[in-house]
Amino acid sequence: MKNLMIALAMVSGAATGAAAAEYELKMSSMFPSTHFINTMAMQPWADEIEKRTGGRVHFTLFPAGSALGDATKQFDQARTGVVDVSVGIPSIPRGRHPKSVLVELPFTVPNSEIGTCAMMAMKDEMSSDYPDTRVLYLTVTEPSGAHTSKPIKTLDDLKGLRIRTPTSAITAMLEEIGAVPVGMPPTEIYESVERGVIDGNIMPWGPVGAFKLHEVLGYHLDAAINPVAMYIVFNQRKFDSLPEDVRQVIDEVSDEVFSNWGRWWHETDQEAVEMARAAGNEIVPMSDEDREAWRERLQPVIDNYLTNESDMEVEKAETTYAAILDAVKDCE
């Protein structure tokens, strides 16, 4: 009888623990469960909220590869309440977040710290890109470099090469240089280089390391061309339905944890740089003077994007982009 009572008490305790969370919330991410965005940022963020609310709030993460991990559906899932929080990239799918992607135009931001600072300074302005959600944080990666299978010293050396392009603005930049832009998902780059389909890629260092592209692309121009933007949003109706003290904890933890984004992007990029160095790859830096010269040279490309390809009215696109540039200067 004593053993039975102990067993029942254990079962009862387990059941109580399992049901302890008053608010069970769903969090989706377009990144794999092992990606640093989930392991260093999103899961610690969720765990800290659970801790500070005394276990009243619990998040379940649905990463890439799960039913809710589709990159093209992240924002819609949060907006419609399929999930409560989502992590995604505003350029996927194209045309959904036109203000946010302007920060990705060539040579707009020098690094992730300044780019993230500028985007957060404009969070209220950018919020119209994310209707029916509460923007918790906006950030940008370290800007892209040019990674090739052939030696390059300047961007002009890309002329005649077949280069994988991530965005329409970079496509226009490559066409201006005289390169041949090739669109493809990042998962196909490695094999395409091996087969000789492409000669290189424009991409931040982080994914170069994640996809092991330093194994097939041995030459790198560290040009800091363009970053990739990222959002973290909370379904507005769900957020508003939470008690005031819980909402306050979510805001506080978001500010504390996500303020590390600039550092995280830099540190994880440096890991990829070290992998390339260890492989004996050649890395050529680009000076600030050369970056400024390229920005001036590519101004017609930027102007054309704002006029014809921004998915916004021209005046609004130009005004927003000018505000981003001002925010970048203020953050420098």
Side-chain angles (χ1 to χ4, degrees):
M1 179 63 69
K2 180 179 179 181
N3 289 339
L4 177 61
M5 292 177 65
I6 292 173
L8 290 172
M10 292 175 65
V11 170
S12 176
T16 301
E22 188 176 350
Y23 303 98
E24 287 285 351
L25 304 177
K26 296 184 179 71
M27 175 171 62
S28 64
S29 168
M30 61 175 281
F31 302 97
S33 58
T34 56
H35 195 285
F36 89 89
I37 286 174
N38 293 323
T39 61
M40 292 175 62
M42 299 314 302
Q43 194 59 57
W45 171 81
D47 292 344
E48 184 63 21
I49 292 172
E50 182 171 358
K51 176 182 175 182
R52 293 196 194 181
T53 59
R56 294 165 62 202
V57 177
H58 178 262
F59 289 91
T60 300
L61 174 64
F62 295 88
S66 72
L68 300 175
D70 188 334
T72 65
K73 297 178 180 178
Q74 289 306 303
F75 177 68
D76 286 335
Q77 288 175 167
R79 181 179 189 178
T80 58
V82 174
V83 300
D84 303 296
V85 176
S86 69
V87 184
I89 290 175
S91 60
I92 303 175
R94 180 176 173 175
R96 298 300 302 280
H97 313 286
K99 290 182 178 180
S100 300
V101 297
L102 294 181
V103 76
E104 299 181 357
L105 288 170
F107 300 105
T108 296
V109 301
N111 57 54
S112 57
E113 290 271 9
I114 291 174
T116 297
C117 171
M119 289 296 279
M120 285 302 293
M122 293 193 64
K123 187 173 77 166
D124 290 344
E125 169 70 19
M126 296 294 178
S127 63
S128 60
D129 265 5
Y130 308 95
D132 303 317
T133 67
R134 181 183 184 83
V135 177
L136 297 181
Y137 223 79
L138 299 172
T139 183
V140 302
T141 67
E142 288 286 292
S144 302
H147 314 277
T148 63
S149 58
K150 301 178 181 180
I152 56 171
K153 301 295 183 183
T154 74
L155 286 176
D156 278 318
D157 292 336
L158 297 179
K159 183 176 182 179
L161 300 185
R162 294 158 297 179
I163 305 297
R164 181 260 180 180
T165 176
T167 66
S168 57
I170 298 304
T171 295
M173 181 194 82
L174 292 171
E175 290 173 342
E176 167 69 21
I177 292 170
V180 180
V182 180
M184 67 175 61
T187 51
E188 296 179 11
I189 296 172
Y190 194 112
E191 183 179 355
S192 296
V193 174
E194 285 191 313
R195 292 167 48 209
V197 174
I198 60 173
D199 303 302
N201 169 45
I202 304 295
M203 178 180 277
W205 274 103
V208 169
F211 292 105
K212 301 186 183 301
L213 298 180
H214 61 281
E215 296 178 353
V216 291
L217 298 173
Y219 301 92
H220 312 271
L221 179 61
D222 214 358
I225 301 167
N226 71 303
V228 176
M230 192 180 79
Y231 60 78
I232 305 168
V233 295
F234 205 119
N235 176 274
Q236 188 69 62
R237 292 188 305 278
K238 175 60 75 172
F239 185 87
D240 291 343
S241 73
L242 298 172
E244 182 179 355
D245 63 322
V246 172
R247 297 198 305 267
Q248 183 176 346
V249 167
I250 291 171
D251 284 340
E252 289 175 351
V253 175
S254 296
D255 288 342
E256 292 172 16
V257 174
F258 297 150
S259 63
N260 292 296
W261 272 119
R263 176 173 59 83
W264 287 332
W265 291 122
H266 176 73
E267 290 176 353
T268 53
D269 267 27
Q270 286 306 301
E271 291 175 8
V273 171
E274 292 308 316
M275 291 167 66
R277 287 201 177 109
N281 293 6
E282 180 177 287
I283 302 174
V284 177
M286 178 183 280
S287 69
D288 290 341
E289 292 77 14
D290 285 344
R291 287 187 75 255
E292 179 60 24
W294 270 101
R295 190 194 67 76
E296 293 178 3
R297 176 174 166 179
L298 293 173
Q299 191 61 50
V301 171
I302 294 171
D303 291 342
N304 180 67
Y305 182 90
L306 296 174
T307 302
N308 300 310
E309 301 184 50
S310 70
D311 299 305
M312 297 172 61
E313 295 177 12
V314 175
E315 184 176 353
K316 290 183 179 179
E318 292 175 344
T319 300
T320 302
Y321 186 64
I324 292 174
L325 293 177
D326 288 340
V328 166
K329 289 180 181 178
D330 290 341
C331 290
E332 287 180 336

